[in-house]
Amino acid sequence: MAEANVENLLEIQDLSISFRMLEASNEVVKGVSLRIPPGKTVALVGESGSGKSVISQAIMGLLPRNGAITGGRITFRDPRDPALPIEIASFDRNGPEMQKLRGGRIGMIFQEPMSSLSPVHRIGDQIGEALQLHKPVPKAEVRQAVIGMLGKVGFREPERAIDQYSFELSGGLRQRAMLAMALICRPALLIADEPTTALDVTVQAQVLKLMKDLQQDLGMAILMITHDLGVVANMADEVVVIYHGEVMESGPASDIFRRPRHPYLKALLKALPHFDMKEGERLVPLRAIKAGPITPAEPKPAAPAHQSDAPLLDVRRLSKTYQLRFGSWFSGSGGRALKAVDDVSFTIGRGECLGLVGESGCGKTTVSKVIMRAITATAGSVTFRKDGEEIDVLALSGKALRDFRPRMQMVFQDPASSLSPRMTVRDILREPLDIHDVGTGADRDRRLSELMQAVGLDPRFMSRYPHSFSGGQRQRIGIARALALSPDLLVCDEPVSALDVSVQAQVLNLLKDLARELGLTYLFISHNLAVVNYMADRIAVMANGRIVEIAPRHLLFTRPVHAYTKALLKAVPYADLDRPLDFDSLSLKGASDMSQWPKAFQAHGAGDALQAIDLGQGHQVLAHRDADMKELMA
Amino acid sequence: MLFSYIARRILLMIPTLLITSALIFTVMELPPGDFFETYQAEMQAQGERADMSRVEFLKKEYHFDKPPWQRYFYWLWDFVRGDFGYSFEYQLPVRDVIGDRLLLTVVLSFLTIIFTWAIAFPIGIYSATHQYSWGDYGLTLFGLLGIAIPHFLLALIVMYFANIWFGLSIGGLMAPEYLNQPMSWEKMGSILKHIWLPVVLIGVTGTAGMIRAVRANLLDELEKQYVTTARAKGMPPGRALMKYPFRMSLNFFVSDIGSILPAVISGAEIVAIVLSLPTTGPLLIRALQAQDMYLAGSFLMFLAILTVIGVLISDLALAILDPRVRLQGGASK
């Protein structure tokens, strides 16, 4: 198929790539063939470690030093000079031909827009440099070209942005700057390696829209590398699914989504949480884990019914204010207060899972840290109910706080950095038991193997170090550690956002099962609405440090009231060709910008006129005191 | 903005130096006795009689009849006015004793720093970009040797072999006829002819350590994503290296300037004795031994002042080099 079409912009035939590890050689790409037609978007889909990024590095000549192309061809047919196909695989990686191609004819953007830009050089300098490397342009014209390009990628004040540094920009703007850099030489092909994975869902939608617009504008092709099938459905003309370095399935997007043939792709689609799941429907992970039973450390209370009326956790009017030293380092000590959490109230019932969603910087993690007593609240109260006794969490100190800590435990986002690399899994799991002096040594050992089994890991692996486990396994170790002290409440801060789709399903199912078996209560923080939809009973939406809407799950998704909730829901990409993102209705300013919301949700006038308005059935929305109910529901 | 920041920093130097001076004075007062007792003891040991009337005069002149805290303030006030006191050992005003030596010390230290950087940076960059190559291993070995051998020992060895093989006497910073002569072009030339050897000897250890530091810092930076970005732009590897990772790795060295000055000056003292260099090092050690307090105190104060200035320079250079330092405010929890 690929050979027949002579007009392909890029053709990869039978490409093999190996990495040299010590003495052995490890083949990570095994005979991959794919094509990119001019002006089209091809999505390369796969899990981490599938070899998808390695392919893109090979196209750019950016393979790590120990990696080498061992077979196959990469043919690039420049539309400017179509008669002369270029064999990329035959070039010297650092040779002049490759340098001309890189940045000149093929541009690339990466997953982490923060680390992709140098923090000590101005944005304009880094973008203009790309132009100067490939075209002899006078300095003054470079500046004009950069300003024009920044305007094109959606900077509102390009004249100002050109002299800014990357750390002065938000994540979305940084990715836009990266796009400007990759596209300033008008390349024929843009390689985007997980370009929106690190971005918030609303920002992701904006960047995707921008990429689509620029593609039409510049007539370039896009090779989109991603693991997010929702993004693929909205962007790709053709899809290539890759698994363990081999192409599983490839073809037009419509074929792939409507008639998936290969079992891997079918399984991948089933492992993805989505909004049309029936009540009680379970995700099917690619590799199911077998979890053993776990006994609660203390017998369950005989009659839990009487407790269910009073919530387990009661958070009232919580606020956290940071004092910022703003602006220049030289400007003395003038400061400003930043309200990270502003008058937040919610309750979590025993055995319930409360989802907390919002974009990065909205204060959701701060809320969890205040509850965990990792940082001190400026105002408000947190009440924990246990055996009919009310505990004022924020007032605890010394021994009382220590004795209380086992009641609440935390599961962190990054499984790589939340486990000490210098401790074995046994030490990691045992540490909480040692600190709180639980049982005898033999008791603890028994508990350890029970914990390992409970999260589906073989207890024989306990003497290993975290680095010998995969990301999903490490996250399960993190969960086992949190369970060690038999807590009542588990705070999960983005527990699956660092994991692959296939592994995500495993961990989510595990958390669900544990909740049922142990009667756990969750505060589940995530920016992924589909994940929260799968996990939570009730959902609270946060923006700018406040909870703008809180409702039972089905109500929030079917009848959202607040403008911000609606914007969030609208920005979620579905892995479904029939429900494309509505790119035209996106606001460029970002969903959490209050001035974009209808008047009824804005804090205008003197004082704080916003208050939680009860809409019935546990549905509350933050709106203006005198807002008309009908107006809100409209 | 920058101006008011510098002004604030300079104002902040005043209390820093006041506290340092109090500490220096206290340390000098701590050993039992004073210069005069040491002097008398030495005289008696040699079977001579000390000139008591002179001792009495000096004691009065320099307020040794007053309590220490008053003496501290006399000393401080005189220091600020540029009168550094009197060296009892040399029987000269401290200013005359130090004079040239201080200048030579500064020149020697400055050249040593330049030498260290000029050698260490290219080698460090080579080592980092050719990690685990034979060149890297060889240079690493050289570096470890440099760290392991104390420089006074190196100085002794070099002197010995220079004498044995070439019959050269390589001590000193200038030809003997220029000693105690006023500065002139000829003297300057003679100094330059002599100064390279102590620069190399004093610089070796620092250079070796610096090579390791450049290598480690650069290796960290080379892994970063923005290096890939630069290469993806089509930048030639050499240019990309200098503009991005190398520039970032400089931060470490700039913030280190503050501690280089005192380290070089104090590290050079023993070498200076071995090579009999007319710098401040030997003088300071002698002054401390003899409890020649005004001389020693002045030295230590100069060291403190140099350190404080070095820290200021490094902070300012860092702010100029790294916009994150300049533009980002810290938040207080």
Side-chain angles (χ1 to χ4, degrees):
Chain A
M1 168 186 88
E3 285 90 333
N5 194 339
V6 282
E7 276 113 43
N8 284 334
L9 179 73
L10 188 90
E11 264 180 48
I12 295 180
Q13 281 167 28
D14 214 21
L15 181 71
S16 297
I17 299 169
S18 291
F19 278 82
R20 226 177 34 248
M21 312 288 268
L22 299 175
E23 294 305 302
S25 163
N26 183 13
E27 193 167 55
V28 292
V29 175
K30 303 160 189 158
V32 164
S33 299
L34 62 90
R35 58 158 200 170
I36 304 172
K40 298 284 184 199
T41 302
V42 175
L44 192 54
V45 188
E47 297 170 60
S48 51
S50 61
K52 56 190 195 310
S53 291
V54 177
I55 294 174
S56 73
Q57 288 168 350
I59 299 172
M60 290 293 277
L62 290 177
L63 282 174
R65 238 194 290 173
N66 60 342
I69 297 175
T70 47
R73 291 149 57 115
I74 304 173
T75 314
F76 181 67
R77 218 172 258 109
D78 196 335
R80 277 190 197 159
D81 205 356
L84 277 175
I86 301 170
E87 285 299 331
I88 292 179
S90 69
F91 283 160
D92 170 16
R93 244 177 251 176
N94 292 320
E97 301 98 336
M98 202 64 234
Q99 273 163 33
K100 241 171 78 187
L101 216 55
R102 276 204 291 255
R105 303 306 299 147
I106 308 178
M108 186 160 184
I109 60 173
F110 305 91
Q111 175 170 353
E112 289 292 337
M114 177 75 230
S115 51
S116 302
L117 290 162
S118 158
V120 299
H121 296 87
R122 291 173 200 278
I123 296 289
D125 171 45
Q126 296 182 61
I127 298 172
E129 178 183 70
L131 184 63
Q132 280 174 307
L133 281 167
H134 297 281
K135 281 187 197 140
V137 190
K139 267 232 148 105
E141 279 176 45
V142 170
R143 198 174 163 85
Q144 278 315 306
V146 171
I147 289 176
M149 199 66 216
L150 285 173
K152 235 186 168 68
V153 296
F155 277 84
R156 263 172 291 165
E157 291 173 84
E159 289 86 358
R160 208 166 74 85
I162 190 171
D163 290 322
Q164 281 184 310
Y165 293 97
S166 63
F167 57 82
E168 297 177 273
L169 305 175
S170 67
L173 283 179
R174 281 179 207 147
Q175 198 57 295
R176 283 168 200 269
M178 279 300 290
L179 267 171
M181 189 194 298
L183 301 181
I184 196 160
C185 294
R186 323 245 149 187
L189 173 65
L190 172 70
I191 300 178
D193 190 352
E194 305 268 8
T196 57
T197 308
L199 302 178
D200 278 320
V201 57
T202 51
V203 181
Q204 161 171 291
Q206 290 166 13
V207 171
L208 293 179
K209 171 182 157 59
L210 177 67
M211 285 173 68
K212 271 204 151 167
D213 292 349
L214 290 169
Q215 180 175 29
Q216 286 210 319
D217 237 27
L218 307 176
M220 64 183 177
I222 297 178
L223 175 63
M224 183 107 176
I225 293 157
T226 181
H227 67 272
D228 186 339
L229 290 168
V231 170
V232 176
N234 280 284
M235 295 294 288
D237 299 299
E238 294 189 12
V239 181
V240 179
V241 183
I242 190 165
Y243 179 69
H244 279 311
E246 287 175 88
V247 173
M248 294 287 115
E249 194 158 0
S250 67
S254 55
D255 281 5
I256 296 285
F257 280 98
R258 292 191 210 288
R259 290 179 294 280
R261 278 187 304 266
H262 199 280
Y264 172 70
L265 181 58
K266 285 185 193 166
L268 206 57
L269 283 167
K270 264 193 224 157
L272 197 66
H274 55 89
F275 293 108
D276 306 319
M277 297 181 76
K278 291 174 212 73
E279 209 59 49
E281 187 183 337
R282 269 173 81 85
L283 292 173
V284 187
L286 267 76
R287 293 168 289 270
I289 50 169
K290 259 213 187 126
I294 180 165
T295 44
E298 46 195 291
K300 274 191 190 174
H306 74 275
Q307 285 179 332
S308 58
D309 26 349
L312 178 76
L313 192 77
D314 197 341
V315 177
R316 288 258 162 263
R317 313 212 62 169
L318 202 64
S319 291
K320 172 70 192 172
T321 310
Y322 287 106
Q323 285 297 327
L324 289 189
R325 267 196 303 136
F326 236 112
S328 167
W329 190 50
F330 302 122
S331 67
S333 53
R336 201 196 75 165
L338 176 86
K339 282 188 171 173
V341 175
D342 184 6
D343 197 10
V344 161
S345 304
F346 60 84
T347 60
I348 311 178
R350 181 168 290 275
E352 190 186 34
C353 175
L354 178 75
L356 191 57
V357 294
E359 299 182 321
S360 50
C362 74
K364 53 191 193 304
T365 297
T366 312
V367 168
S368 73
K369 284 189 182 157
V370 169
I371 293 174
M372 292 298 294
R373 287 293 305 269
I375 51 181
T376 318
T378 316
S381 73
V382 175
T383 311
F384 187 91
R385 287 192 183 81
K386 172 82 180 164
D387 304 329
E389 189 189 342
E390 293 200 355
I391 302 164
D392 184 352
V393 176
L394 299 187
L396 291 174
S397 65
K399 186 168 181 325
L401 177 61
R402 218 176 104 112
D403 289 345
F404 173 73
R405 290 230 186 251
R407 300 294 101 236
M408 298 198 296
Q409 290 290 309
M410 195 150 181
V411 177
F412 301 94
Q413 171 170 7
D414 183 4
S417 61
S418 59
L419 302 176
S420 164
R422 286 173 193 82
M423 287 165 79
T424 61
V425 172
R426 175 177 284 109
D427 296 337
I428 289 171
L429 294 183
R430 205 188 158 104
E431 194 174 35
L433 298 173
D434 289 343
I435 289 173
H436 290 278
D437 209 16
V438 179
T440 63
D443 286 345
R444 287 178 206 173
D445 287 337
R446 244 194 324 279
R447 179 77 178 155
L448 293 190
S449 57
E450 192 181 65
L451 284 169
M452 286 293 272
Q453 279 164 347
V455 296
L457 291 171
D458 192 329
R460 283 175 302 173
F461 296 162
M462 264 196 298
S463 45
R464 294 193 185 173
Y465 288 89
H467 67 81
S468 58
F469 293 90
S470 71
Q473 287 172 329
R474 271 184 239 172
Q475 193 60 301
R476 272 142 63 191
I477 295 169
I479 292 172
R481 174 177 59 184
L483 291 177
L485 294 169
S486 314
D488 295 298
L489 177 73
L490 218 52
V491 176
C492 305
D493 190 358
E494 305 264 11
V496 294
S497 51
L499 304 178
D500 270 320
V501 178
S502 56
V503 183
Q504 229 178 57
Q506 277 179 3
V507 173
L508 292 178
N509 282 345
L510 177 69
L511 285 171
K512 273 202 146 180
D513 295 344
L514 288 169
R516 205 186 46 237
E517 276 173 45
L518 302 174
L520 287 174
T521 307
Y522 289 133
L523 174 61
F524 193 94
I525 299 169
S526 180
H527 70 279
N528 187 331
L529 289 162
V531 167
V532 171
N533 178 42
Y534 181 63
M535 291 299 294
D537 304 307
R538 284 191 307 135
I539 296 172
V541 182
M542 266 187 97
N544 308 324
R546 310 193 68 159
I547 289 185
V548 295
E549 189 163 6
I550 186 165
R553 181 177 61 85
H554 60 278
L555 266 184
L556 190 90
F557 282 98
T558 51
R559 273 186 285 146
V561 171
H562 199 279
Y564 178 71
T565 315
K566 286 179 182 166
L568 271 189
L569 288 171
K570 218 188 269 178
V572 177
Y574 289 83
D576 182 350
L577 293 177
D578 301 323
R579 270 197 286 177
L581 280 175
D582 184 7
F583 283 127
D584 298 329
S585 70
L586 287 176
S587 102
L588 255 181
K589 285 186 116 175
S592 57
D593 184 353
M594 213 184 256
S595 63
Q596 304 280 301
W597 300 345
K599 272 253 159 14
F601 302 119
Q602 286 185 27
H604 46 78
D608 188 12
L610 292 179
Q611 63 179 38
I613 294 175
D614 201 342
L615 305 172
Q617 292 177 283
H619 193 163
Q620 291 186 337
V621 67
L622 188 73
H624 208 263
R625 203 183 296 128
D626 352 295
D628 185 5
M629 285 282 272
K630 285 204 192 77
E631 191 188 323
L632 291 181
M633 300 298 280
Chain B
M1 290 291 217
L2 188 64
F3 181 77
S4 79
Y5 172 73
I6 296 175
R8 262 194 305 133
R9 283 298 304 265
I10 289 176
L11 282 180
L12 203 67
M13 281 163 65
I14 294 173
T16 313
L17 288 174
L18 276 179
I19 293 170
T20 317
S21 68
L23 282 175
I24 289 173
F25 191 85
T26 313
V27 169
M28 288 188 313
E29 282 290 317
L30 275 183
D34 52 35
F35 172 78
F36 304 106
E37 283 170 23
T38 320
Y39 172 69
Q40 283 168 6
E42 269 186 31
M43 284 299 171
Q44 273 165 10
Q46 290 166 16
E48 288 178 37
R49 253 175 55 83
D51 180 358
M52 284 316 288
S53 64
R54 184 169 165 71
V55 167
E56 284 308 315
F57 169 75
L58 283 173
K59 270 193 169 177
K60 199 160 180 61
E61 180 73 19
Y62 289 96
H63 314 291
F64 276 81
D65 47 349
K66 302 261 168 54
W69 64 270
Q70 279 188 14
R71 231 163 347 138
Y72 167 68
F73 284 107
Y74 280 118
W75 176 60
L76 196 66
W77 177 239
D78 287 343
F79 194 91
V80 171
R81 287 185 311 174
D83 175 4
F84 306 137
Y86 187 82
S87 166
F88 305 119
E89 174 89 359
Y90 290 84
Q91 309 207 343
L92 279 171
V94 168
R95 196 213 300 253
D96 295 344
V97 181
I98 295 181
D100 269 5
R101 284 180 181 248
L102 196 64
L103 180 72
L104 284 174
T105 306
V106 170
V107 169
L108 184 65
S109 307
F110 184 72
L111 287 178
T112 307
I113 293 173
I114 300 285
F115 167 82
T116 307
W117 284 359
I119 303 288
F121 274 114
I123 294 183
I125 291 171
Y126 177 88
S127 260
T129 49
H130 297 77
Q131 195 189 8
Y132 302 141
S133 67
W134 283 110
D136 180 29
Y137 286 131
L139 291 165
T140 301
L141 182 70
F142 164 75
L144 292 178
L145 279 178
I147 294 173
I149 300 173
H151 34 31
F152 68 86
L153 185 65
L154 203 62
L156 275 177
I157 295 171
V158 169
M159 272 214 321
Y160 176 77
F161 283 108
N163 209 350
I164 295 281
W165 289 343
F166 306 112
L168 282 177
S169 166
I170 52 171
L173 266 186
M174 59 199 86
E177 62 265 31
Y178 294 110
L179 280 175
N180 298 323
Q181 294 292 309
M183 188 55 91
S184 64
W185 285 113
E186 288 77 23
K187 182 172 175 176
M188 193 76 171
S190 174
I191 290 174
L192 286 180
K193 251 186 250 164
H194 281 78
I195 209 167
W196 65 271
L197 188 73
V199 163
V200 170
L201 288 178
I202 297 168
V204 158
T205 304
T207 308
M210 182 78 86
I211 290 173
R212 305 301 300 159
V214 172
R215 180 176 179 275
N217 274 284
L218 200 53
L219 278 177
D220 275 353
E221 294 298 327
L222 283 173
E223 303 275 303
K224 300 271 172 75
Q225 178 73 50
Y226 61 83
V227 183
T228 315
T229 308
R231 290 180 59 209
K233 248 185 262 187
M235 242 189 160
R239 255 175 80 188
L241 174 78
M242 293 315 281
K243 178 162 179 182
Y244 294 104
F246 178 65
R247 159 92 189 257
M248 295 285 278
S249 68
L250 277 183
N251 275 11
F252 168 80
F253 302 99
V254 171
S255 44
D256 198 39
I257 291 177
S259 58
I260 286 182
L261 277 181
V264 167
I265 290 172
S266 54
E269 275 147 20
I270 301 171
V271 178
I273 292 175
V274 173
L275 292 180
S276 52
L277 304 180
T279 56
T280 52
L283 213 54
L284 171 60
I285 289 175
R286 176 71 201 131
L288 287 172
Q289 282 169 343
Q291 285 189 300
D292 190 354
M293 65 168 297
Y294 285 109
L295 188 55
S298 302
F299 269 133
L300 294 176
M301 271 314 283
F302 282 126
L303 265 182
I305 291 169
L306 277 179
T307 310
V308 173
I309 291 174
V311 170
L312 176 68
I313 291 174
S314 94
D315 281 359
L316 288 179
L318 200 61
I320 290 164
L321 197 67
D322 192 336
R324 285 171 300 181
V325 175
R326 204 167 13 164
L327 299 172
Q328 255 176 342
S332 59
K333 281 217 168 170

